[in-house]
Amino acid sequence: MANKPIKIKRNNSISGKRRQRNSIIKKVLSLVFVLGALLAIGFFGAPAVVEMAKNMSKPKPQTTPSPTPAVTAPVETEPTADPSDVQIEETNTAFTYGVVEQSSFYSEEAIKAAVADLKAKGADNAVVTLKDAQGLVWFDTHTEIGSAAKSKTLVDVKRLAEICSQNDMHLTVQMYVFCDRIAPTVNRDTAVKYKGTDMNWLDTSKELGGKPWANPASSVMQQYIYDLVAELGDMGVDDFIFSGVQLPTGYSLEMRDFGVNDSQLQAQLQGFINTLSSKVAAKGGDAYFAFDVNAVSGADVAKYIVAPQRYGAANIVAQGTADDFAANGAAALAALEKSEHVERIVIWNTDGSEAALSAPNGKFVK
């Protein structure tokens, strides 16, 4: 028997009818919202639309594009220099020195002849020693110790300075400082002593001509030098070369007594060099300190305690024989050039032959 088809009967329940009603309401509300939005746009946007239409109907003005400015390279301006940074370059820093014996200045004519001879040799600085390595003073000093140490022949320093100036020659005075055998006999407070005694120390036996030395730590000796410098300054001298700023040399060195220990002695030398430099500078001059080229190179520093350039002198004369310069000159010059405080370097070949070393700021001629 054939199967009959099954009929499915659909019932419209209450929940179904409710869903259909809600759907219809949503559609009606959506339609009302869209119509309201269109009306609002029409009301508020009409003026803007009208204005837009007016602008579109107006002819556009013809504008000429402004030219693009040409690009120019920035002008570099030099920065304003701080006065403290300005360096004045000296036009002539290479001086030439010539030594004249004190006895050459016995008269005005002799002074003029000596100056003319130096000029012929190419020197522009006349160097004369007015306190020598024995302690003799070659000018009319009024200091207590110096009055007892005057040479029989005295130089008229003021007239000498005038004649040098008139002949475009500069006067520089050399002074030996602690190499002095006279001051310790005039004033015993200036002398190096034997340890534990009040006896003046001698650099060799008395029978062999031993001589005393001035004590670098003696305030009396230091003041004596300051006073001599002041007197010479009043006579027209502004530049000095100070030699013998050192400890005594010779025999029995272990018996020397300076009244202070080594570190104090080094401080005394440092203070003396600083003070002497300041006093000369205050008068508008330059203080040069002559040190052995062997010591400057570091080969032999015993009589200075340390390498002498470490004392801070701005102007140094490296002094020695041709053999000294051949052995240690290059090392000495290199050491001086590395020292930041050294401003001028002068080469003094004491035996008169040409040293195999160029002079950065000055040299001596014979």
Side-chain angles (χ1 to χ4, degrees), residues 4 20 22 24 46 76-77 83 101 105 142 147-148 187 208 261 268 280 294 300 313 316 329 336 340 350-351 354:
K4 293 182 179 179
Q20 287 178 358
N22 290 340
I24 292 170
E76 295 184 0
T77 58
E101 293 296 327
F105 298 132
H142 299 289
S147 295
N187 187 323
L208 295 176
N261 59 36
Q268 287 287 340
V280 173
N294 296 329
D300 182 11
I316 291 181
L336 291 176
E340 294 181 357
T350 54
D351 65 8
E354 290 296 325

Side-chain angles (χ1 to χ4, degrees), residues 243-316:
S243 299
V245 185
Q246 62 177 81
L247 308 187
T249 57
Y251 295 93
S252 302
L253 299 181
E254 72 282 358
M255 295 301 295
R256 299 173 303 179
D257 189 349
F258 301 99
V260 295
N261 59 36
D262 287 347
S263 61
Q264 292 171 328
L265 183 58
Q266 183 176 338
Q268 287 287 340
L269 280 171
Q270 179 73 75
F272 175 75
I273 289 173
N274 291 346
T275 302
L276 203 51
S277 299
S278 297
K279 287 182 177 294
V280 173
K283 294 288 187 178
D286 291 311
Y288 288 78
F289 292 86
F291 298 126
D292 289 352
V293 66
N294 296 329
V296 174
S297 71
D300 182 11
V301 302
K303 64 183 177 182
Y304 302 108
I305 305 178
V306 295
Q309 63 270 26
R310 289 179 56 186
Y311 287 108
N315 308 311
I316 291 181

Side-chain angles (χ1 to χ4, degrees), residues 31-82:
L31 181 61
V32 171
F33 177 79
V34 171
L35 290 174
L38 289 175
L39 289 173
I41 291 173
F43 179 78
F44 292 106
V49 174
V50 171
E51 184 65 25
M52 184 182 298
K54 289 181 179 179
N55 291 336
M56 292 180 64
S57 64
K58 291 180 181 180
K60 293 182 180 181
Q62 299 296 321
T63 59
T64 303
S66 58
T68 303
V71 178
T72 58
V75 179
E76 295 184 0
T77 58
E78 293 292 333
T80 303
D82 188 322

Side-chain angles (χ1 to χ4, degrees), residues 136-158:
L136 278 175
V137 177
W138 290 76
F139 68 97
D140 190 17
T141 175
H142 299 289
T143 59
E144 181 181 356
I145 298 174
S147 295
K150 286 182 186 178
S151 169
K152 293 180 180 179
T153 302
L154 299 179
V155 175
D156 186 345
V157 179
K158 191 172 183 178

Side-chain angles (χ1 to χ4, degrees), residues 73-319:
V75 179
E76 295 184 0
T77 58
E78 293 292 333
T80 303
D82 188 322
S84 63
D85 295 334
V86 176
Q87 296 181 352
I88 300 175
E89 183 177 353
E90 295 183 14
T91 56
N92 179 20
T93 57
F95 304 114
T96 304
Y97 298 82
V99 177
V100 183
E101 293 296 327
Q102 307 94 329
S103 57
S104 300
F105 298 132
Y106 57 86
S107 68
E108 185 162 325
E109 290 73 20
I111 293 175
K112 291 179 179 178
V115 170
D117 182 60
L118 287 181
K119 289 181 71 69
K121 293 176 179 178
D124 46 33
N125 283 265
V127 177
V128 58
T129 301
L130 295 183
K131 180 178 182 293
D132 65 21
Q134 301 299 314
L136 278 175
V137 177
W138 290 76
F139 68 97
D140 190 17
T141 175
H142 299 289
T143 59
E144 181 181 356
I145 298 174
S147 295
K150 286 182 186 178
S151 169
K152 293 180 180 179
T153 302
L154 299 179
V155 175
D156 186 345
V157 179
K158 191 172 183 178
R159 186 59 183 143
L160 172 60
E162 291 173 350
I163 293 174
C164 286
S165 179
Q166 291 166 2
N167 290 272
D168 296 323
M169 182 73 62
H170 191 79
L171 175 61
T172 299
V173 167
Q174 182 187 26
M175 292 179 62
Y176 282 84
V177 181
F178 303 122
C179 301
D180 193 324
R181 65 189 304 173
I182 298 175
T185 60
V186 176
N187 187 323
R188 294 176 60 82
D189 290 337
T190 66
V192 177
K193 306 294 184 180
Y194 280 103
K195 281 188 175 180
T197 74
D198 191 41
M199 296 176 57
N200 288 357
W201 178 87
L202 304 180
D203 53 12
T204 188
S205 66
K206 190 173 183 179
E207 294 73 22
L208 295 176
K211 60 183 183 293
W213 282 68
N215 183 357
S218 167
S219 60
V220 176
M221 187 63 197
Q222 291 184 13
Q223 188 59 52
Y224 171 43
I225 300 301
Y226 299 151
D227 292 342
L228 291 178
V229 169
E231 287 185 330
L232 288 168
D234 293 339
M235 296 177 186
V237 178
D238 49 13
D239 287 358
F240 294 84
I241 296 176
F242 296 104
S243 299
V245 185
Q246 62 177 81
L247 308 187
T249 57
Y251 295 93
S252 302
L253 299 181
E254 72 282 358
M255 295 301 295
R256 299 173 303 179
D257 189 349
F258 301 99
V260 295
N261 59 36
D262 287 347
S263 61
Q264 292 171 328
L265 183 58
Q266 183 176 338
Q268 287 287 340
L269 280 171
Q270 179 73 75
F272 175 75
I273 289 173
N274 291 346
T275 302
L276 203 51
S277 299
S278 297
K279 287 182 177 294
V280 173
K283 294 288 187 178
D286 291 311
Y288 288 78
F289 292 86
F291 298 126
D292 289 352
V293 66
N294 296 329
V296 174
S297 71
D300 182 11
V301 302
K303 64 183 177 182
Y304 302 108
I305 305 178
V306 295
Q309 63 270 26
R310 289 179 56 186
Y311 287 108
N315 308 311
I316 291 181
V317 177
Q319 190 175 36

